Amino acid sequence: MADVVTQHCGTVETMEIVPWTLFFDGSTCDRGAGIGIVLISPRGRKYEFSLTIVATSTNNQAEYQALIKGLVLLREVNADVVEIFGDSMLIINQLAGSYDCRSEVLITYHEKSIQLLKEFKDFRLEHVPRLHNEEANRLAQHASGYQPMTNIISAVGADDWRKEIIDYLMDPSKKVERRVRFQATKYVLLEDDCIIELLMGFFSDA
């Protein structure tokens, strides 16, 4: 399993496909747990996700969950190649095969990550200092309640232009105006818990 990861890591630099970029981080504190994800499309567009997760016993669990969610989002938009950056040396090295994952607590997350990585044509893993992962860290700390943050979209209100598109995507059988059906063809609903953080347009002009 580790050999597969190592092999992929060694081929990304020669690929012709412009990769997506994924920065991830997890945060746990007395108030809760959260994950932060920053995705950058091949065209340079940036998308940020700050998601609350079920409280975990270790920060490593939150880190793995952030990575897994980021990979799932990328597969939903049919990304083929990705460069992954995280400040957890443990997780990066476990996935690269440099470290064994022997923790009963982490093994499930590790196996899920490996499974998702295999779905990409190519990927590269790189450990970065916390300083170079500030945005993902900021988003994760906001979600966990450790560091409140302003200017975060917390809901799609009734008067938000996206709401009718989201409602239709959640129930395509409902009757809506032709305009709404046409607009909805440009978007894909990832998961209910990601609607709020998702910037509509993620798929049409990424």
Side-chain angles (χ1 to χ4, degrees):
M1 185 177 296
D3 291 338
V4 174
V5 177
T6 304
Q7 181 181 356
H8 277 280
C9 292
T11 61
V12 171
E13 294 183 353
T14 61
M15 65 193 174
E16 296 181 359
I17 301 175
V18 179
W20 280 77
T21 301
L22 163 62
F23 288 87
F24 71 94
D25 205 357
S27 173
T28 59
C29 65
D30 294 339
R31 296 182 179 180
I35 58 177
I37 302 164
V38 177
L39 301 178
I40 303 175
S41 78
R43 296 185 182 181
R45 296 201 58 168
K46 183 185 294 184
Y47 307 93
E48 298 182 348
F49 299 83
S50 178
L51 304 172
T52 300
I53 59 174
V54 177
T56 55
S57 58
T58 70
N59 198 64
N60 287 329
Q61 287 176 280
E63 294 268 2
Y64 259 118
Q65 289 188 59
L67 171 62
I68 290 170
K69 174 62 78 173
L71 294 175
V72 168
L73 292 173
L74 288 173
R75 291 307 300 143
E76 290 286 350
V77 295
N78 298 317
D80 291 322
V81 181
V82 58
E83 293 181 324
I84 302 166
F85 300 92
D87 57 48
S88 171
M89 184 173 291
L90 174 69
I91 291 176
I92 294 297
N93 282 319
Q94 283 182 345
L95 293 174
S98 301
Y99 295 171
D100 291 332
C101 183
R102 300 177 179 176
S103 169
E104 294 183 359
V105 175
L106 299 180
I107 190 64
T108 301
Y109 299 110
H110 179 264
E111 291 178 349
K112 178 62 175 179
S113 298
I114 293 293
Q115 177 185 347
L116 287 168
L117 287 171
K118 289 180 178 179
E119 296 181 12
F120 292 87
K121 291 182 178 178
D122 246 324
F123 61 86
R124 181 167 69 90
L125 297 161
E126 183 174 335
H127 173 260
V128 294
R130 176 64 59 84
L131 180 65
H132 295 164
N133 199 34
E134 284 184 327
E135 292 183 70
N137 178 252
R138 171 178 57 88
L139 294 165
Q141 289 187 349
H142 165 72
S144 70
Y146 179 77
Q147 185 68 43
M149 182 169 56
T150 58
N151 298 325
I152 279 287
I153 299 175
S154 59
V156 175
D159 58 346
D160 193 304
W161 67 271
R162 297 168 296 178
K163 187 176 188 306
E164 58 184 2
I165 297 176
I166 291 172
D167 289 343
Y168 176 70
L169 289 173
M170 294 181 70
D171 182 13
S173 65
K174 68 185 304 182
K175 293 183 178 181
V176 296
E177 296 179 15
R178 183 178 180 182
R179 168 186 57 82
V180 176
R181 293 200 305 271
F182 176 75
Q183 288 180 313
T185 61
K186 301 178 181 180
Y187 307 115
V188 175
L189 187 64
L190 294 183
E191 295 179 23
D192 291 352
D193 62 350
C194 288
I195 291 174
I196 294 174
E197 289 76 14
L198 184 63
L199 296 180
M200 305 301 287
F202 188 81
F203 304 91
S204 61
D205 48 80

